[in-house]
Amino acid sequence: QCHRLHPPKATKRRQRGFSDAMPFDELCPPTAPFFGFMGAAVALIFANLGAAYGTAKSGVGVSSMGVMKPDLIMKSIIPVVMAGVLGIYGLIIAVIIANGVTTPTTDGKTKYSSFTGFAHLAAGLACGLSGLAAGIAIGIVGDAGVRANAQQAKLYVGMVLILIFAEALGLYGLIVGLILTSKTHTCGGA
């Protein structure tokens, strides 16, 4: 009775243009490279957001401190350099992922599996969001640390140690990202 009111529609495969003549491998869909490219994008975007925030926030502290004690400017530039390294972490993962995304064959079949796409997306998120967190930490510590160092020179070693541990957060994301980019599956392969 329901079929009289609403006749059955064509299947989703037919609606999207897939035919029975073209086999569709669900483990290797044509949309799989999207996830790989998104992994490359988010790695670079979030790591650069962290690097930009860390550079800007600690740069404000260096500028404020430099007005009163200009001889400490070069010594206090360490947070800016450490924040800039976070962008390099994102760049490394983005390049590795982008080189791992393979083009379809001449007959239109993808060699890039959804497993690889999801692994690359996870790698990009791990590296990018770790870089963002590290950049926020470096920015806040760098801003307060260089101002405090201008008033009390003994705080310098403590500031550098805190910055190293904040930078380690981004390094952890890079390591996990590198491990995840090595997890691949090629369509049609063994």
Side-chain angles (χ1 to χ4, degrees):
Q1 189 172 10
C2 184
H3 291 292
R4 280 187 237 149
L5 297 174
H6 304 288
K9 295 181 179 175
T11 63
K12 287 187 179 182
R13 287 179 152 221
R14 293 207 185 274
Q15 286 176 351
R16 290 187 189 142
F18 292 107
S19 69
D20 294 331
M22 186 171 105
F24 181 75
D25 186 1
E26 293 191 10
L27 296 177
C28 301
T31 57
F34 168 77
F35 294 101
F37 288 128
M38 282 303 295
V42 298
L44 192 62
I45 290 167
F46 286 129
N48 281 341
L49 280 173
Y53 181 83
T55 301
K57 185 89 168 141
S58 57
V60 166
V62 170
S63 299
S64 298
M65 180 273 312
V67 172
M68 302 306 267
K69 297 211 174 175
D71 53 313
L72 294 177
I73 289 177
M74 290 311 289
K75 189 177 178 184
S76 300
I77 214 80
I78 288 178
V80 175
V81 174
M82 294 181 83
V85 171
L86 298 173
I88 297 171
Y89 293 165
L91 177 66
I92 291 169
I93 291 293
V95 168
I96 291 172
I97 291 172
N99 286 333
V101 179
T102 56
T103 57
T105 60
T106 54
D107 60 349
K109 291 182 184 175
T110 183
K111 297 179 286 185
Y112 190 78
S113 68
S114 56
F115 176 85
T116 307
F118 295 148
H120 285 169
L121 178 62
L125 286 170
C127 181
L129 292 176
S130 295
L132 178 61
I136 291 170
I138 288 171
I140 293 170
V141 170
D143 183 24
V146 297
R147 291 173 197 247
N149 182 51
Q151 295 175 346
Q152 175 56 263
K154 292 179 182 178
L155 290 173
Y156 185 74
V157 174
M159 177 191 76
V160 171
L161 282 175
I162 295 168
L163 288 170
I164 288 170
F165 283 108
E167 180 80 22
L169 299 175
L171 189 60
Y172 300 154
L174 175 69
I175 292 168
V176 170
L178 289 171
I179 292 169
L180 286 170
T181 56
S182 68
K183 306 290 184 193
T184 60
H185 170 74
T186 305
C187 296

